[in-house]
Amino acid sequence: GNSVTQMEGPVTLSEEAFLTINCTYTATGYPSLFWYVQYPGEGLQLLLKATKADDKGSNKGFEATYRKETTSFHLEKGSVQVSDSAVYFCALARGAAGNKLTFGGGTRVLVKP
Amino acid sequence: DTAVSQTPKYLVTQMGNDKSIKCEQNLGHDTMYWYKQDSKKFLKIMFSYNNKELIINETVPNRFSPKSPDKAHLNLHINSLELGDSAVYFCASSLPGGDGELFFGEGSRLTVL
């Protein structure tokens, strides 16, 4: 079956530090890949996505590249802010059930001033 | 104007009780979902409806019964609540077609004592 594995948190950083959150997946065929973000007390919202190999998704300074050869979709941001403190979820969607997302376990990120 | 709204936001109840959580979306989407997020932030899909028709029903106890009176509403009724039902329940909606972008509500935190 489909699965998503992401690094466990919490990840604690200082402002302006570089952030990487690793995500790898297992799926048959060619899934679409997503990063969702959950700010404290809120629901999840889509951060970025990539639908085919070598695509790069980007938004709000975050980037992730769909790497089919390593089945990975690592999230990066060059300079984090306190407002980036949140839980980040990697997810995949596959095939006819394209909106049936399989989520990773989430990674909590805490950015300190 | 909230796109996906859930009520109540907080619900504290005793074991054995029956409770409902309501969800409404004003995005004009055809597809709605219920997800359960446990204390470790792990998210798992429970149900999905497309235009009032059940399309995804994961291995959820039959104490959980979704109801979709129209495509803008998807309610979740839970009978005979158990301690393990304590979680945050998220409603979400999306367009059909499988691009994987879900719009989440803010969640309903259920605590069973």
PDB file of all heavy atoms in Angstrom, chain A residues 21-52:
ATOM      1  N   ILE A  21      13.157  19.317   5.840  1.00  0.00           N
ATOM      2  CA  ILE A  21      12.368  18.231   6.413  1.00  0.00           C
ATOM      3  C   ILE A  21      12.347  17.118   5.373  1.00  0.00           C
ATOM      4  O   ILE A  21      11.869  17.312   4.251  1.00  0.00           O
ATOM      5  CB  ILE A  21      10.929  18.660   6.734  1.00  0.00           C
ATOM      6  CG1 ILE A  21      10.919  19.871   7.664  1.00  0.00           C
ATOM      7  CG2 ILE A  21      10.180  17.493   7.384  1.00  0.00           C
ATOM      8  CD1 ILE A  21       9.520  20.419   7.935  1.00  0.00           C
ATOM      9  N   ASN A  22      12.859  15.968   5.757  1.00  0.00           N
ATOM     10  CA  ASN A  22      12.927  14.847   4.819  1.00  0.00           C
ATOM     11  C   ASN A  22      11.596  14.126   4.709  1.00  0.00           C
ATOM     12  O   ASN A  22      10.877  13.951   5.702  1.00  0.00           O
ATOM     13  CB  ASN A  22      13.994  13.847   5.267  1.00  0.00           C
ATOM     14  CG  ASN A  22      15.393  14.406   5.086  1.00  0.00           C
ATOM     15  OD1 ASN A  22      15.601  15.350   4.326  1.00  0.00           O
ATOM     16  ND2 ASN A  22      16.356  13.857   5.789  1.00  0.00           N
ATOM     17  N   CYS A  23      11.284  13.705   3.496  1.00  0.00           N
ATOM     18  CA  CYS A  23      10.069  12.936   3.237  1.00  0.00           C
ATOM     19  C   CYS A  23      10.372  11.900   2.163  1.00  0.00           C
ATOM     20  O   CYS A  23      10.903  12.250   1.101  1.00  0.00           O
ATOM     21  CB  CYS A  23       8.943  13.854   2.770  1.00  0.00           C
ATOM     22  SG  CYS A  23       7.485  12.988   2.164  1.00  0.00           S
ATOM     23  N   THR A  24      10.050  10.665   2.435  1.00  0.00           N
ATOM     24  CA  THR A  24      10.141   9.620   1.421  1.00  0.00           C
ATOM     25  C   THR A  24       8.804   8.903   1.341  1.00  0.00           C
ATOM     26  O   THR A  24       8.021   8.912   2.294  1.00  0.00           O
ATOM     27  CB  THR A  24      11.248   8.593   1.735  1.00  0.00           C
ATOM     28  OG1 THR A  24      11.007   8.048   3.036  1.00  0.00           O
ATOM     29  CG2 THR A  24      12.624   9.227   1.710  1.00  0.00           C
ATOM     30  N   TYR A  25       8.558   8.292   0.201  1.00  0.00           N
ATOM     31  CA  TYR A  25       7.253   7.671   0.012  1.00  0.00           C
ATOM     32  C   TYR A  25       7.394   6.291  -0.615  1.00  0.00           C
ATOM     33  O   TYR A  25       8.410   5.962  -1.217  1.00  0.00           O
ATOM     34  CB  TYR A  25       6.358   8.555  -0.869  1.00  0.00           C
ATOM     35  CG  TYR A  25       6.838   8.676  -2.294  1.00  0.00           C
ATOM     36  CD1 TYR A  25       6.425   7.771  -3.274  1.00  0.00           C
ATOM     37  CD2 TYR A  25       7.717   9.697  -2.670  1.00  0.00           C
ATOM     38  CE1 TYR A  25       6.877   7.874  -4.575  1.00  0.00           C
ATOM     39  CE2 TYR A  25       8.171   9.801  -3.974  1.00  0.00           C
ATOM     40  CZ  TYR A  25       7.756   8.895  -4.913  1.00  0.00           C
ATOM     41  OH  TYR A  25       8.217   8.983  -6.210  1.00  0.00           O
ATOM     42  N   THR A  26       6.338   5.519  -0.454  1.00  0.00           N
ATOM     43  CA  THR A  26       6.195   4.232  -1.141  1.00  0.00           C
ATOM     44  C   THR A  26       4.840   4.241  -1.818  1.00  0.00           C
ATOM     45  O   THR A  26       3.822   4.501  -1.166  1.00  0.00           O
ATOM     46  CB  THR A  26       6.257   3.063  -0.133  1.00  0.00           C
ATOM     47  OG1 THR A  26       7.484   3.119   0.572  1.00  0.00           O
ATOM     48  CG2 THR A  26       6.123   1.729  -0.844  1.00  0.00           C
ATOM     49  N   ALA A  27       4.848   4.010  -3.101  1.00  0.00           N
ATOM     50  CA  ALA A  27       3.587   3.981  -3.851  1.00  0.00           C
ATOM     51  C   ALA A  27       3.830   3.288  -5.172  1.00  0.00           C
ATOM     52  O   ALA A  27       4.933   3.327  -5.713  1.00  0.00           O
ATOM     53  CB  ALA A  27       3.056   5.393  -4.093  1.00  0.00           C
ATOM     54  N   THR A  28       2.784   2.686  -5.692  1.00  0.00           N
ATOM     55  CA  THR A  28       2.890   2.130  -7.044  1.00  0.00           C
ATOM     56  C   THR A  28       2.648   3.254  -8.036  1.00  0.00           C
ATOM     57  O   THR A  28       1.890   4.195  -7.767  1.00  0.00           O
ATOM     58  CB  THR A  28       1.863   1.014  -7.252  1.00  0.00           C
ATOM     59  OG1 THR A  28       0.564   1.536  -6.927  1.00  0.00           O
ATOM     60  CG2 THR A  28       2.144  -0.168  -6.351  1.00  0.00           C
ATOM     61  N   GLY A  29       3.301   3.170  -9.165  1.00  0.00           N
ATOM     62  CA  GLY A  29       3.076   4.164 -10.206  1.00  0.00           C
ATOM     63  C   GLY A  29       3.635   5.521  -9.854  1.00  0.00           C
ATOM     64  O   GLY A  29       4.682   5.638  -9.218  1.00  0.00           O
ATOM     65  N   TYR A  30       2.897   6.545 -10.237  1.00  0.00           N
ATOM     66  CA  TYR A  30       3.402   7.914 -10.139  1.00  0.00           C
ATOM     67  C   TYR A  30       2.419   8.782  -9.364  1.00  0.00           C
ATOM     68  O   TYR A  30       1.529   9.395  -9.942  1.00  0.00           O
ATOM     69  CB  TYR A  30       3.623   8.473 -11.556  1.00  0.00           C
ATOM     70  CG  TYR A  30       4.513   7.583 -12.373  1.00  0.00           C
ATOM     71  CD1 TYR A  30       3.991   6.687 -13.302  1.00  0.00           C
ATOM     72  CD2 TYR A  30       5.894   7.620 -12.186  1.00  0.00           C
ATOM     73  CE1 TYR A  30       4.827   5.854 -14.026  1.00  0.00           C
ATOM     74  CE2 TYR A  30       6.730   6.792 -12.918  1.00  0.00           C
ATOM     75  CZ  TYR A  30       6.192   5.901 -13.833  1.00  0.00           C
ATOM     76  OH  TYR A  30       7.000   5.081 -14.561  1.00  0.00           O
ATOM     77  N   PRO A  31       2.610   8.840  -8.063  1.00  0.00           N
ATOM     78  CA  PRO A  31       1.681   9.644  -7.268  1.00  0.00           C
ATOM     79  C   PRO A  31       1.955  11.130  -7.426  1.00  0.00           C
ATOM     80  O   PRO A  31       3.017  11.530  -7.900  1.00  0.00           O
ATOM     81  CB  PRO A  31       1.981   9.199  -5.836  1.00  0.00           C
ATOM     82  CG  PRO A  31       3.433   8.823  -5.873  1.00  0.00           C
ATOM     83  CD  PRO A  31       3.642   8.195  -7.238  1.00  0.00           C
ATOM     84  N   SER A  32       1.005  11.936  -7.031  1.00  0.00           N
ATOM     85  CA  SER A  32       1.252  13.359  -6.818  1.00  0.00           C
ATOM     86  C   SER A  32       1.694  13.535  -5.368  1.00  0.00           C
ATOM     87  O   SER A  32       1.249  12.806  -4.480  1.00  0.00           O
ATOM     88  CB  SER A  32      -0.027  14.165  -7.071  1.00  0.00           C
ATOM     89  OG  SER A  32      -0.415  14.066  -8.414  1.00  0.00           O
ATOM     90  N   LEU A  33       2.544  14.514  -5.144  1.00  0.00           N
ATOM     91  CA  LEU A  33       3.128  14.721  -3.811  1.00  0.00           C
ATOM     92  C   LEU A  33       2.817  16.116  -3.304  1.00  0.00           C
ATOM     93  O   LEU A  33       2.761  17.073  -4.095  1.00  0.00           O
ATOM     94  CB  LEU A  33       4.640  14.503  -3.862  1.00  0.00           C
ATOM     95  CG  LEU A  33       5.096  13.126  -4.336  1.00  0.00           C
ATOM     96  CD1 LEU A  33       6.611  13.076  -4.500  1.00  0.00           C
ATOM     97  CD2 LEU A  33       4.628  12.043  -3.369  1.00  0.00           C
ATOM     98  N   PHE A  34       2.660  16.226  -2.004  1.00  0.00           N
ATOM     99  CA  PHE A  34       2.190  17.474  -1.406  1.00  0.00           C
ATOM    100  C   PHE A  34       2.917  17.734  -0.084  1.00  0.00           C
ATOM    101  O   PHE A  34       3.335  16.808   0.610  1.00  0.00           O
ATOM    102  CB  PHE A  34       0.684  17.392  -1.083  1.00  0.00           C
ATOM    103  CG  PHE A  34      -0.159  16.974  -2.243  1.00  0.00           C
ATOM    104  CD1 PHE A  34      -0.328  15.617  -2.537  1.00  0.00           C
ATOM    105  CD2 PHE A  34      -0.781  17.907  -3.050  1.00  0.00           C
ATOM    106  CE1 PHE A  34      -1.106  15.215  -3.610  1.00  0.00           C
ATOM    107  CE2 PHE A  34      -1.556  17.511  -4.126  1.00  0.00           C
ATOM    108  CZ  PHE A  34      -1.719  16.165  -4.404  1.00  0.00           C
ATOM    109  N   TRP A  35       3.003  19.004   0.250  1.00  0.00           N
ATOM    110  CA  TRP A  35       3.302  19.422   1.604  1.00  0.00           C
ATOM    111  C   TRP A  35       2.155  20.280   2.089  1.00  0.00           C
ATOM    112  O   TRP A  35       1.754  21.242   1.429  1.00  0.00           O
ATOM    113  CB  TRP A  35       4.610  20.220   1.681  1.00  0.00           C
ATOM    114  CG  TRP A  35       5.823  19.345   1.733  1.00  0.00           C
ATOM    115  CD1 TRP A  35       6.659  19.034   0.711  1.00  0.00           C
ATOM    116  CD2 TRP A  35       6.336  18.673   2.891  1.00  0.00           C
ATOM    117  NE1 TRP A  35       7.655  18.194   1.144  1.00  0.00           N
ATOM    118  CE2 TRP A  35       7.492  17.953   2.464  1.00  0.00           C
ATOM    119  CE3 TRP A  35       5.951  18.593   4.220  1.00  0.00           C
ATOM    120  CZ2 TRP A  35       8.245  17.176   3.351  1.00  0.00           C
ATOM    121  CZ3 TRP A  35       6.703  17.829   5.090  1.00  0.00           C
ATOM    122  CH2 TRP A  35       7.843  17.133   4.657  1.00  0.00           C
ATOM    123  N   TYR A  36       1.620  19.887   3.241  1.00  0.00           N
ATOM    124  CA  TYR A  36       0.600  20.667   3.927  1.00  0.00           C
ATOM    125  C   TYR A  36       1.218  21.226   5.208  1.00  0.00           C
ATOM    126  O   TYR A  36       2.110  20.612   5.808  1.00  0.00           O
ATOM    127  CB  TYR A  36      -0.602  19.798   4.286  1.00  0.00           C
ATOM    128  CG  TYR A  36      -1.600  19.611   3.171  1.00  0.00           C
ATOM    129  CD1 TYR A  36      -1.362  18.709   2.131  1.00  0.00           C
ATOM    130  CD2 TYR A  36      -2.780  20.339   3.141  1.00  0.00           C
ATOM    131  CE1 TYR A  36      -2.276  18.549   1.107  1.00  0.00           C
ATOM    132  CE2 TYR A  36      -3.707  20.172   2.117  1.00  0.00           C
ATOM    133  CZ  TYR A  36      -3.443  19.278   1.112  1.00  0.00           C
ATOM    134  OH  TYR A  36      -4.348  19.122   0.093  1.00  0.00           O
ATOM    135  N   VAL A  37       0.684  22.368   5.647  1.00  0.00           N
ATOM    136  CA  VAL A  37       1.168  22.989   6.890  1.00  0.00           C
ATOM    137  C   VAL A  37      -0.014  23.226   7.821  1.00  0.00           C
ATOM    138  O   VAL A  37      -1.120  23.573   7.361  1.00  0.00           O
ATOM    139  CB  VAL A  37       1.930  24.302   6.592  1.00  0.00           C
ATOM    140  CG1 VAL A  37       1.069  25.326   5.859  1.00  0.00           C
ATOM    141  CG2 VAL A  37       2.481  24.911   7.889  1.00  0.00           C
ATOM    142  N   GLN A  38       0.210  22.963   9.085  1.00  0.00           N
ATOM    143  CA  GLN A  38      -0.823  23.195  10.100  1.00  0.00           C
ATOM    144  C   GLN A  38      -0.278  24.159  11.137  1.00  0.00           C
ATOM    145  O   GLN A  38       0.593  23.804  11.944  1.00  0.00           O
ATOM    146  CB  GLN A  38      -1.221  21.878  10.767  1.00  0.00           C
ATOM    147  CG  GLN A  38      -2.355  22.013  11.771  1.00  0.00           C
ATOM    148  CD  GLN A  38      -2.730  20.681  12.400  1.00  0.00           C
ATOM    149  OE1 GLN A  38      -1.931  19.747  12.451  1.00  0.00           O
ATOM    150  NE2 GLN A  38      -3.952  20.595  12.896  1.00  0.00           N
ATOM    151  N   TYR A  39      -0.770  25.395  11.119  1.00  0.00           N
ATOM    152  CA  TYR A  39      -0.385  26.373  12.127  1.00  0.00           C
ATOM    153  C   TYR A  39      -1.156  26.099  13.411  1.00  0.00           C
ATOM    154  O   TYR A  39      -2.234  25.488  13.375  1.00  0.00           O
ATOM    155  CB  TYR A  39      -0.625  27.791  11.616  1.00  0.00           C
ATOM    156  CG  TYR A  39       0.205  28.128  10.399  1.00  0.00           C
ATOM    157  CD1 TYR A  39      -0.366  28.184   9.128  1.00  0.00           C
ATOM    158  CD2 TYR A  39       1.576  28.352  10.512  1.00  0.00           C
ATOM    159  CE1 TYR A  39       0.401  28.463   8.008  1.00  0.00           C
ATOM    160  CE2 TYR A  39       2.346  28.624   9.396  1.00  0.00           C
ATOM    161  CZ  TYR A  39       1.753  28.669   8.153  1.00  0.00           C
ATOM    162  OH  TYR A  39       2.510  28.931   7.044  1.00  0.00           O
ATOM    163  N   PRO A  40      -0.633  26.533  14.540  1.00  0.00           N
ATOM    164  CA  PRO A  40      -1.289  26.219  15.824  1.00  0.00           C
ATOM    165  C   PRO A  40      -2.767  26.592  15.833  1.00  0.00           C
ATOM    166  O   PRO A  40      -3.150  27.709  15.486  1.00  0.00           O
ATOM    167  CB  PRO A  40      -0.484  27.064  16.819  1.00  0.00           C
ATOM    168  CG  PRO A  40       0.861  27.214  16.194  1.00  0.00           C
ATOM    169  CD  PRO A  40       0.607  27.299  14.718  1.00  0.00           C
ATOM    170  N   GLY A  41      -3.579  25.642  16.229  1.00  0.00           N
ATOM    171  CA  GLY A  41      -5.008  25.877  16.371  1.00  0.00           C
ATOM    172  C   GLY A  41      -5.780  25.950  15.074  1.00  0.00           C
ATOM    173  O   GLY A  41      -6.959  26.317  15.073  1.00  0.00           O
ATOM    174  N   GLU A  42      -5.140  25.619  13.973  1.00  0.00           N
ATOM    175  CA  GLU A  42      -5.809  25.726  12.674  1.00  0.00           C
ATOM    176  C   GLU A  42      -5.860  24.376  11.966  1.00  0.00           C
ATOM    177  O   GLU A  42      -5.203  23.412  12.365  1.00  0.00           O
ATOM    178  CB  GLU A  42      -5.093  26.735  11.777  1.00  0.00           C
ATOM    179  CG  GLU A  42      -5.067  28.146  12.351  1.00  0.00           C
ATOM    180  CD  GLU A  42      -4.405  29.136  11.400  1.00  0.00           C
ATOM    181  OE1 GLU A  42      -4.146  28.777  10.232  1.00  0.00           O
ATOM    182  OE2 GLU A  42      -4.147  30.263  11.842  1.00  0.00           O
ATOM    183  N   GLY A  43      -6.623  24.322  10.887  1.00  0.00           N
ATOM    184  CA  GLY A  43      -6.621  23.146  10.033  1.00  0.00           C
ATOM    185  C   GLY A  43      -5.433  23.166   9.093  1.00  0.00           C
ATOM    186  O   GLY A  43      -4.674  24.126   9.035  1.00  0.00           O
ATOM    187  N   LEU A  44      -5.287  22.094   8.358  1.00  0.00           N
ATOM    188  CA  LEU A  44      -4.175  22.012   7.418  1.00  0.00           C
ATOM    189  C   LEU A  44      -4.470  22.872   6.202  1.00  0.00           C
ATOM    190  O   LEU A  44      -5.611  23.037   5.789  1.00  0.00           O
ATOM    191  CB  LEU A  44      -3.986  20.558   6.941  1.00  0.00           C
ATOM    192  CG  LEU A  44      -3.278  19.618   7.886  1.00  0.00           C
ATOM    193  CD1 LEU A  44      -4.174  19.218   9.038  1.00  0.00           C
ATOM    194  CD2 LEU A  44      -2.814  18.380   7.126  1.00  0.00           C
ATOM    195  N   GLN A  45      -3.405  23.376   5.606  1.00  0.00           N
ATOM    196  CA  GLN A  45      -3.550  24.083   4.341  1.00  0.00           C
ATOM    197  C   GLN A  45      -2.419  23.659   3.414  1.00  0.00           C
ATOM    198  O   GLN A  45      -1.294  23.397   3.866  1.00  0.00           O
ATOM    199  CB  GLN A  45      -3.578  25.599   4.534  1.00  0.00           C
ATOM    200  CG  GLN A  45      -2.425  26.172   5.315  1.00  0.00           C
ATOM    201  CD  GLN A  45      -2.626  27.648   5.596  1.00  0.00           C
ATOM    202  OE1 GLN A  45      -2.303  28.492   4.776  1.00  0.00           O
ATOM    203  NE2 GLN A  45      -3.133  27.961   6.778  1.00  0.00           N
ATOM    204  N   LEU A  46      -2.740  23.621   2.141  1.00  0.00           N
ATOM    205  CA  LEU A  46      -1.754  23.199   1.162  1.00  0.00           C
ATOM    206  C   LEU A  46      -0.627  24.215   1.086  1.00  0.00           C
ATOM    207  O   LEU A  46      -0.857  25.415   0.938  1.00  0.00           O
ATOM    208  CB  LEU A  46      -2.407  23.047  -0.215  1.00  0.00           C
ATOM    209  CG  LEU A  46      -1.495  22.607  -1.340  1.00  0.00           C
ATOM    210  CD1 LEU A  46      -0.985  21.194  -1.099  1.00  0.00           C
ATOM    211  CD2 LEU A  46      -2.226  22.683  -2.674  1.00  0.00           C
ATOM    212  N   LEU A  47       0.607  23.743   1.171  1.00  0.00           N
ATOM    213  CA  LEU A  47       1.769  24.620   1.055  1.00  0.00           C
ATOM    214  C   LEU A  47       2.319  24.578  -0.374  1.00  0.00           C
ATOM    215  O   LEU A  47       2.544  25.601  -0.998  1.00  0.00           O
ATOM    216  CB  LEU A  47       2.838  24.191   2.049  1.00  0.00           C
ATOM    217  CG  LEU A  47       4.133  24.993   2.075  1.00  0.00           C
ATOM    218  CD1 LEU A  47       3.861  26.453   2.413  1.00  0.00           C
ATOM    219  CD2 LEU A  47       5.113  24.382   3.076  1.00  0.00           C
ATOM    220  N   LEU A  48       2.533  23.372  -0.883  1.00  0.00           N
ATOM    221  CA  LEU A  48       3.000  23.232  -2.261  1.00  0.00           C
ATOM    222  C   LEU A  48       2.758  21.803  -2.722  1.00  0.00           C
ATOM    223  O   LEU A  48       2.496  20.922  -1.912  1.00  0.00           O
ATOM    224  CB  LEU A  48       4.478  23.609  -2.381  1.00  0.00           C
ATOM    225  CG  LEU A  48       5.480  22.924  -1.454  1.00  0.00           C
ATOM    226  CD1 LEU A  48       5.924  21.586  -1.997  1.00  0.00           C
ATOM    227  CD2 LEU A  48       6.710  23.806  -1.229  1.00  0.00           C
ATOM    228  N   LYS A  49       2.891  21.629  -4.041  1.00  0.00           N
ATOM    229  CA  LYS A  49       2.675  20.288  -4.577  1.00  0.00           C
ATOM    230  C   LYS A  49       3.496  20.076  -5.841  1.00  0.00           C
ATOM    231  O   LYS A  49       3.970  21.044  -6.453  1.00  0.00           O
ATOM    232  CB  LYS A  49       1.205  20.043  -4.875  1.00  0.00           C
ATOM    233  CG  LYS A  49       0.658  20.871  -6.031  1.00  0.00           C
ATOM    234  CD  LYS A  49      -0.814  20.540  -6.272  1.00  0.00           C
ATOM    235  CE  LYS A  49      -1.366  21.307  -7.464  1.00  0.00           C
ATOM    236  NZ  LYS A  49      -2.803  21.023  -7.686  1.00  0.00           N
ATOM    237  N   ALA A  50       3.658  18.813  -6.216  1.00  0.00           N
ATOM    238  CA  ALA A  50       4.324  18.454  -7.469  1.00  0.00           C
ATOM    239  C   ALA A  50       3.634  17.209  -8.001  1.00  0.00           C
ATOM    240  O   ALA A  50       3.348  16.281  -7.237  1.00  0.00           O
ATOM    241  CB  ALA A  50       5.806  18.187  -7.249  1.00  0.00           C
ATOM    242  N   THR A  51       3.351  17.199  -9.275  1.00  0.00           N
ATOM    243  CA  THR A  51       2.536  16.113  -9.819  1.00  0.00           C
ATOM    244  C   THR A  51       3.322  15.124 -10.672  1.00  0.00           C
ATOM    245  O   THR A  51       2.785  14.074 -11.025  1.00  0.00           O
ATOM    246  CB  THR A  51       1.378  16.681 -10.655  1.00  0.00           C
ATOM    247  OG1 THR A  51       1.926  17.511 -11.677  1.00  0.00           O
ATOM    248  CG2 THR A  51       0.439  17.497  -9.790  1.00  0.00           C
ATOM    249  N   LYS A  52       4.581  15.439 -11.006  1.00  0.00           N
ATOM    250  CA  LYS A  52       5.355  14.461 -11.764  1.00  0.00           C
ATOM    251  C   LYS A  52       6.830  14.605 -11.444  1.00  0.00           C
ATOM    252  O   LYS A  52       7.276  15.615 -10.877  1.00  0.00           O
ATOM    253  CB  LYS A  52       5.120  14.596 -13.258  1.00  0.00           C
ATOM    254  CG  LYS A  52       5.479  15.929 -13.858  1.00  0.00           C
ATOM    255  CD  LYS A  52       5.120  15.933 -15.337  1.00  0.00           C
ATOM    256  CE  LYS A  52       5.646  17.162 -16.043  1.00  0.00           C
ATOM    257  NZ  LYS A  52       5.057  18.411 -15.553  1.00  0.00           N
TER     258      LYS A  52
END
